[in-house]
Protein backbone atom coordinates (compact mmCIF):
# COMPACT_ATOMS: atom_id res chain seq x y z
CA UNK A 1 0.00 0.00 0.00
CA UNK A 2 1.28 3.45 -0.94
CA UNK A 3 0.80 6.22 1.61
CA UNK A 4 -0.30 9.48 0.08
CA UNK A 5 2.37 11.49 1.84
CA UNK A 6 5.01 9.45 0.01
CA UNK A 7 3.46 10.39 -3.32
CA UNK A 8 3.50 14.04 -2.29
CA UNK A 9 7.17 13.78 -1.32
CA UNK A 10 7.94 12.20 -4.68
CA UNK A 11 6.03 14.83 -6.67
CA UNK A 12 7.63 17.62 -4.65
CA UNK A 13 11.13 16.40 -5.56
CA UNK A 14 10.14 16.26 -9.23
CA UNK A 15 8.55 19.71 -9.19
CA UNK A 16 11.13 21.47 -7.02
CA UNK A 17 14.18 19.89 -8.63
CA UNK A 18 16.04 18.81 -5.49
CA UNK A 19 15.48 17.35 -2.04
CA UNK A 20 16.17 20.54 -0.11
CA UNK A 21 13.49 22.64 -1.88
CA UNK A 22 11.09 19.68 -1.86
CA UNK A 23 11.44 19.34 1.91
CA UNK A 24 10.75 23.05 2.37
CA UNK A 25 7.73 22.79 0.07
CA UNK A 26 6.34 19.89 2.13
CA UNK A 27 7.15 21.60 5.45
CA UNK A 28 9.35 18.72 6.62
CA UNK A 29 13.07 18.36 7.25
CA UNK A 30 15.28 17.08 4.45
CA UNK A 31 16.18 13.87 6.36
CA UNK A 32 12.47 13.18 6.85
CA UNK A 33 11.78 13.60 3.15
CA UNK A 34 14.80 11.47 2.20
CA UNK A 35 13.60 8.66 4.50
CA UNK A 36 10.17 8.88 2.88
CA UNK A 37 11.58 8.65 -0.64
CA UNK A 38 13.71 5.68 0.38
CA UNK A 39 10.61 3.98 1.81
CA UNK A 40 8.72 4.61 -1.44
CA UNK A 41 11.60 3.14 -3.46
CA UNK A 42 11.64 0.02 -1.25
CA UNK A 43 7.88 -0.35 -1.63
CA UNK A 44 8.10 -0.09 -5.42
CA UNK A 45 11.22 -2.20 -5.60
CA UNK A 46 13.19 0.24 -7.75
CA UNK A 47 15.15 3.50 -7.51
CA UNK A 48 13.21 6.58 -8.56
CA UNK A 49 15.97 9.19 -8.67
CA UNK A 50 19.57 9.48 -9.76
CA UNK A 51 21.17 11.67 -7.11
CA UNK A 52 24.21 13.89 -7.65
CA UNK A 53 25.67 16.99 -6.01
CA UNK A 54 24.29 19.25 -8.74
CA UNK A 55 20.81 17.91 -9.42
CA UNK A 56 18.31 15.09 -9.08
CA UNK A 57 17.01 13.29 -12.14
CA UNK A 58 14.35 10.63 -12.60
CA UNK A 59 15.37 7.07 -13.42
CA UNK A 60 13.50 5.22 -16.15
CA UNK A 61 11.39 3.64 -13.43
CA UNK A 62 10.78 7.04 -11.85
CA UNK A 63 9.63 8.44 -15.19
CA UNK A 64 7.15 5.58 -15.58
CA UNK A 65 5.89 6.03 -12.03
CA UNK A 66 5.49 9.80 -12.44
CA UNK A 67 2.40 9.62 -14.66
CA UNK A 68 0.73 7.23 -12.21
CA UNK A 69 1.60 9.46 -9.25
CA UNK A 70 0.15 12.52 -10.99
CA UNK A 71 -3.05 10.62 -11.80
CA UNK A 72 -3.44 9.27 -8.27
CA UNK A 73 -2.95 12.72 -6.71
CA UNK A 74 -5.37 14.32 -9.17
CA UNK A 75 -8.05 11.66 -8.60
CA UNK A 76 -7.64 11.95 -4.84
CA UNK A 77 -8.20 15.72 -4.98
CA UNK A 78 -11.24 15.29 -7.22
CA UNK A 79 -12.70 12.71 -4.85
CA UNK A 80 -12.16 15.02 -1.88
CA UNK A 81 -13.83 17.86 -3.74
CA UNK A 82 -16.86 15.80 -4.69
CA UNK A 83 -17.34 14.89 -1.02
CA UNK A 84 -16.95 18.48 0.09
CA UNK A 85 -13.71 17.63 1.83
CA UNK A 86 -11.15 19.28 -0.41
CA UNK A 87 -8.04 20.29 1.49
CA UNK A 88 -7.01 22.87 -1.08
CA UNK A 89 -8.05 24.26 -4.43
CA UNK A 90 -7.29 22.09 -7.45
CA UNK A 91 -3.99 22.95 -9.09
CA UNK A 92 -3.66 24.65 -12.48
CA UNK A 93 -0.12 24.97 -13.78
CA UNK A 94 0.29 26.78 -17.08
CA UNK A 95 3.45 27.26 -19.10
CA UNK A 96 3.75 30.23 -21.47
CA UNK A 97 6.24 30.66 -24.29
CA UNK A 98 8.61 33.50 -23.40
CA UNK A 99 8.13 35.18 -26.79
CA UNK A 100 4.40 35.75 -26.14
CA UNK A 101 3.61 39.29 -25.03
CA UNK A 102 3.42 39.39 -21.24
CA UNK A 103 0.63 41.97 -21.28
CA UNK A 104 -1.66 39.42 -22.96
CA UNK A 105 -1.15 36.99 -20.11
CA UNK A 106 -1.38 39.70 -17.45
CA UNK A 107 -4.65 41.05 -18.87
CA UNK A 108 -6.11 37.54 -18.99
CA UNK A 109 -5.14 36.83 -15.39
CA UNK A 110 -6.63 40.15 -14.28
CA UNK A 111 -9.91 39.38 -16.05
CA UNK A 112 -10.36 35.81 -14.81
CA UNK A 113 -8.50 35.75 -11.45
CA UNK A 114 -7.50 32.07 -11.66
CA UNK A 115 -5.90 32.19 -8.21
CA UNK A 116 -9.42 32.36 -6.75
CA UNK A 117 -10.46 29.13 -8.47
CA UNK A 118 -7.23 27.14 -8.44
CA UNK A 119 -3.90 26.72 -6.79
CA UNK A 120 -2.49 28.58 -9.74
CA UNK A 121 1.06 28.53 -11.05
CA UNK A 122 2.44 30.34 -14.09
CA UNK A 123 5.74 29.50 -15.72
CA UNK A 124 7.44 31.23 -18.67
CA UNK A 125 10.05 29.42 -20.74
CA UNK A 126 11.44 28.57 -24.14
CA UNK A 127 9.80 25.98 -26.37
CA UNK A 128 12.37 23.41 -25.27
CA UNK A 129 11.94 24.22 -21.58
CA UNK A 130 8.15 23.97 -21.78
CA UNK A 131 8.39 20.63 -23.60
CA UNK A 132 10.57 19.32 -20.79
CA UNK A 133 8.22 20.61 -18.10
CA UNK A 134 5.24 18.97 -19.83
CA UNK A 135 7.05 15.66 -20.20
CA UNK A 136 7.96 15.63 -16.50
CA UNK A 137 4.50 16.69 -15.37
CA UNK A 138 5.68 19.98 -13.88
CA UNK A 139 2.97 21.87 -15.78
CA UNK A 140 -0.47 20.77 -16.93
CA UNK A 141 -0.60 22.62 -20.23
CA UNK A 142 1.62 24.97 -22.25
CA UNK A 143 0.89 27.78 -24.68
CA UNK A 144 3.69 27.28 -27.17
CA UNK A 145 4.51 26.70 -30.83
CA UNK A 146 2.36 23.95 -32.34
CA UNK A 147 1.89 22.30 -35.71
CA UNK A 148 5.58 21.56 -36.12
CA UNK A 149 5.18 17.86 -36.90
CA UNK A 150 5.63 16.35 -33.46
CA UNK A 151 3.14 13.90 -31.94
CA UNK A 152 4.43 13.78 -28.39
CA UNK A 153 1.63 15.94 -26.99
CA UNK A 154 -1.99 16.75 -27.79
CA UNK A 155 -2.30 20.14 -29.48
CA UNK A 156 -5.02 22.75 -29.86
CA UNK A 157 -4.03 25.55 -32.30
CA UNK A 158 -5.14 29.02 -31.21
CA UNK A 159 -3.67 31.66 -33.48
CA UNK A 160 -1.30 32.04 -36.43
CA UNK A 161 0.58 35.31 -36.76
CA UNK A 162 3.45 36.81 -38.70
CA UNK A 163 6.35 39.03 -37.74
CA UNK A 164 6.78 42.76 -38.33
CA UNK A 165 9.18 45.57 -37.57
CA UNK A 166 8.91 47.51 -34.33
CA UNK A 167 10.15 51.11 -34.33
CA UNK A 168 9.58 54.31 -32.42
CA UNK A 169 6.46 56.22 -33.43
CA UNK A 170 8.59 59.30 -34.20
CA UNK A 171 11.05 57.42 -36.44
CA UNK A 172 11.37 58.95 -39.94
CA UNK A 173 10.07 55.69 -41.48
CA UNK A 174 7.22 55.24 -38.99
CA UNK A 175 4.51 56.42 -41.38
CA UNK A 176 5.30 53.74 -43.96
CA UNK A 177 3.11 50.65 -43.78
CA UNK A 178 5.77 48.45 -45.41
CA UNK A 179 9.55 48.82 -45.40
CA UNK A 180 12.16 46.99 -47.44
CA UNK A 181 15.32 45.62 -45.86
CA UNK A 182 17.51 47.86 -48.03
CA UNK A 183 16.07 50.95 -46.34
CA UNK A 184 17.28 49.65 -42.96
CA UNK A 185 20.93 49.25 -43.93
CA UNK A 186 22.04 52.23 -41.84
CA UNK A 187 19.64 51.71 -38.95
CA UNK A 188 20.59 50.64 -35.43
CA UNK A 189 18.81 47.46 -34.36
CA UNK A 190 17.93 45.48 -31.25
CA UNK A 191 18.26 41.70 -31.04
CA UNK A 192 15.62 39.58 -29.28
CA UNK A 193 17.95 36.73 -28.38
CA UNK A 194 15.23 34.27 -27.33
CA UNK A 195 13.09 34.66 -30.45
CA UNK A 196 12.28 31.42 -32.29
CA UNK A 197 12.63 33.37 -35.56
CA UNK A 198 16.09 34.78 -34.75
CA UNK A 199 18.03 32.62 -37.22
CA UNK A 200 15.49 33.30 -39.99
CA UNK A 201 15.62 37.03 -39.30
CA UNK A 202 19.42 37.11 -39.29
CA UNK A 203 19.57 35.17 -42.55
CA UNK A 204 16.98 37.45 -44.15
CA UNK A 205 19.02 40.59 -43.48
CA UNK A 206 22.40 38.99 -44.25
CA UNK A 207 21.21 37.75 -47.65
CA UNK A 208 20.22 41.33 -48.47
CA UNK A 209 23.54 42.77 -47.38
CA UNK A 210 22.17 44.42 -44.24
CA UNK A 211 24.59 44.11 -41.33
CA UNK A 212 23.46 46.72 -38.78
CA UNK A 213 24.98 47.81 -35.52
CA UNK A 214 23.17 46.26 -32.53
CA UNK A 215 22.56 48.61 -29.62
CA UNK A 216 20.97 45.99 -27.37
CA UNK A 217 20.71 42.22 -27.10
CA UNK A 218 17.99 41.11 -24.71
CA UNK A 219 15.68 38.23 -23.76
CA UNK A 220 13.18 40.61 -22.13
CA UNK A 221 10.57 41.69 -24.67
CA UNK A 222 9.01 44.33 -22.43
CA UNK A 223 12.44 45.94 -22.08
CA UNK A 224 12.97 45.67 -25.84
CA UNK A 225 9.69 47.51 -26.47
CA UNK A 226 10.66 50.22 -24.01
CA UNK A 227 13.99 50.75 -25.77
CA UNK A 228 12.35 50.68 -29.20
CA UNK A 229 9.88 53.32 -28.03
CA UNK A 230 12.76 55.38 -26.67
CA UNK A 231 14.34 55.38 -30.13
CA UNK A 232 17.33 53.18 -29.28
CA UNK A 233 16.81 50.91 -32.27
CA UNK A 234 14.53 48.80 -34.48
CA UNK A 235 13.68 45.12 -34.06
CA UNK A 236 11.52 42.34 -35.52
CA UNK A 237 8.76 40.95 -33.29
CA UNK A 238 5.59 38.85 -33.58
CA UNK A 239 2.63 40.96 -34.70
CA UNK A 240 0.80 40.55 -31.39
CA UNK A 241 3.16 42.92 -29.57
CA UNK A 242 1.83 46.42 -28.96
CA UNK A 243 3.09 49.56 -27.22
CA UNK A 244 1.75 53.10 -27.23
CA UNK A 245 4.93 54.70 -28.59
CA UNK A 246 5.82 51.89 -31.01
CA UNK A 247 4.58 51.31 -34.59
CA UNK A 248 4.57 47.97 -36.41
CA UNK A 249 5.21 48.36 -40.16
CA UNK A 250 5.53 45.24 -42.30
CA UNK A 251 9.02 44.05 -43.30
CA UNK A 252 8.75 43.57 -47.05
CA UNK A 253 9.45 39.99 -48.13
CA UNK A 254 9.63 38.54 -44.63
CA UNK A 255 6.66 36.17 -44.64
CA UNK A 256 7.53 33.83 -41.78
CA UNK A 257 4.61 32.90 -39.50
CA UNK A 258 4.18 30.97 -36.28
CA UNK A 259 1.21 29.05 -34.90
CA UNK A 260 0.58 29.28 -31.18
CA UNK A 261 -1.59 26.83 -29.34
CA UNK A 262 -2.07 24.72 -26.26
CA UNK A 263 -0.04 21.55 -25.80
CA UNK A 264 -0.88 18.94 -23.18
CA UNK A 265 -0.30 15.33 -22.27
CA UNK A 266 -3.03 12.70 -22.58
CA UNK A 267 -3.79 13.14 -18.87
CA UNK A 268 -4.72 16.80 -19.43
CA UNK A 269 -6.85 16.27 -22.54
CA UNK A 270 -9.90 17.54 -20.66
CA UNK A 271 -8.25 20.98 -20.42
CA UNK A 272 -8.19 21.24 -24.20
CA UNK A 273 -11.81 20.15 -24.53
CA UNK A 274 -13.11 22.44 -21.78
CA UNK A 275 -10.49 25.09 -21.08
CA UNK A 276 -10.41 26.89 -17.73
CA UNK A 277 -11.43 30.58 -18.02
CA UNK A 278 -7.86 31.90 -17.93
CA UNK A 279 -6.85 29.69 -20.86
CA UNK A 280 -9.90 30.74 -22.86
CA UNK A 281 -9.19 34.41 -22.14
CA UNK A 282 -5.53 34.14 -23.20
CA UNK A 283 -6.66 32.56 -26.46
CA UNK A 284 -9.25 35.31 -26.98
CA UNK A 285 -6.68 38.02 -26.34
CA UNK A 286 -4.23 36.46 -28.81
CA UNK A 287 -6.81 36.17 -31.57
CA UNK A 288 -7.96 39.72 -30.85
CA UNK A 289 -4.48 41.01 -31.68
CA UNK A 290 -5.09 39.84 -35.26
Amino acid sequence: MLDRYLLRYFLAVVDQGNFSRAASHCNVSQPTLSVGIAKLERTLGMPLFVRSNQRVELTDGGTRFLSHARRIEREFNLAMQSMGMAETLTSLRIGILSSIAGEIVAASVARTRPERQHRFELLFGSERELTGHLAKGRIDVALTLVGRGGDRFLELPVHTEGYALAMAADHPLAQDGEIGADRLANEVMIVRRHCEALSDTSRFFTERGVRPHFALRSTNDERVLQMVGAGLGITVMPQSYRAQDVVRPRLSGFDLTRTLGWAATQDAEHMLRASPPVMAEIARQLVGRG
Side-chain angles (χ1 to χ4, degrees):
M1 176 179 176
L2 293 178
D3 292 313
R4 187 188 176 215
Y5 80 92
L6 297 179
L7 291 181
R8 299 180 77 172
Y9 286 0
F10 171 73
L11 293 174
V13 175
V14 173
D15 292 340
Q16 302 300 318
N18 63 43
F19 278 60
S20 177
R21 288 196 296 268
S24 177
H25 179 79
C26 295
N27 294 315
V28 298
S29 67
Q30 185 170 334
T32 297
L33 183 132
S34 297
V35 168
I37 294 296
K39 179 180 178 181
L40 180 60
E41 290 177 323
R42 288 195 302 272
T43 301
L44 296 174
M46 60 181 177
L48 299 173
F49 297 104
V50 178
R51 300 161 175 83
S52 69
N53 292 332
Q54 277 71 40
R55 57 184 178 178
V56 174
E57 294 183 348
L58 286 167
T59 63
D60 290 341
T63 300
R64 292 195 303 273
F65 180 65
L66 177 60
S67 62
H68 297 294
R70 296 280 189 207
R71 188 177 298 111
I72 292 169
E73 182 68 10
R74 183 166 52 251
E75 292 297 330
F76 181 89
N77 287 332
L78 288 174
M80 295 291 283
Q81 279 189 311
S82 68
M83 299 300 292
M85 300 169 61
E87 297 175 344
T88 60
L89 298 173
T90 57
S91 66
L92 175 59
R93 301 165 303 165
I94 295 179
I96 302 289
L97 188 67
S98 294
S99 60
I100 293 174
E103 65 171 336
I104 290 176
V105 183
S108 301
V109 169
R111 284 177 178 268
T112 58
R113 302 308 299 266
E115 76 281 1
R116 296 177 180 175
Q117 306 140 30
H118 307 277
R119 190 171 55 189
F120 184 62
E121 294 181 34
L122 195 59
L123 185 150
F124 289 86
S126 66
E127 180 185 12
R128 181 177 180 180
E129 289 169 338
L130 294 180
T131 295
H133 290 318
L134 273 176
K136 294 180 179 179
R138 291 176 177 167
I139 54 177
D140 302 308
V141 64
L143 183 63
T144 186
L145 302 176
V146 299
R148 293 156 69 87
D151 57 1
R152 191 176 183 184
F153 303 110
L154 301 173
E155 295 182 349
L156 178 65
V158 170
H159 180 58
T160 298
E161 65 176 347
Y163 298 80
L165 294 167
M167 62 175 56
D170 60 357
H171 191 281
L173 299 176
Q175 300 306 312
D176 295 351
E178 183 170 337
I179 300 171
D182 58 308
R183 300 176 66 191
L184 302 174
N186 297 318
E187 296 291 338
V188 175
M189 300 197 77
I190 293 173
V191 177
R192 299 171 56 249
R193 298 184 64 176
H194 62 299
C195 181
E196 65 280 342
L198 181 57
S199 61
D200 295 278
T201 306
S202 299
R203 184 167 54 251
F204 177 84
F205 283 114
T206 300
E207 289 174 350
R208 288 157 179 77
V210 178
R211 294 176 174 82
H213 169 69
F214 297 110
L216 173 67
R217 293 171 172 84
S218 177
T219 59
N220 184 318
D221 280 323
E222 275 62 43
R223 185 170 298 148
V224 166
L225 277 173
Q226 290 170 355
M227 294 302 102
V228 168
L232 180 63
I234 296 171
T235 194
V236 175
M237 307 183 80
Q239 291 174 327
S240 53
Y241 279 87
R242 299 283 187 273
Q244 186 174 359
D245 49 359
V246 174
V247 297
R248 306 300 316 280
R250 184 173 181 270
L251 177 58
S252 181
F254 191 70
D255 301 320
L256 186 71
T257 62
R258 68 175 185 174
T259 298
L260 300 169
W262 297 107
T265 62
Q266 294 285 345
D267 288 343
E269 181 182 7
H270 63 284
M271 297 180 66
L272 303 186
R273 288 188 277 103
S275 298
V278 66
M279 289 175 57
E281 180 62 22
I282 291 173
R284 190 190 72 79
Q285 293 260 353
L286 265 177
V287 173
R289 294 295 181 103

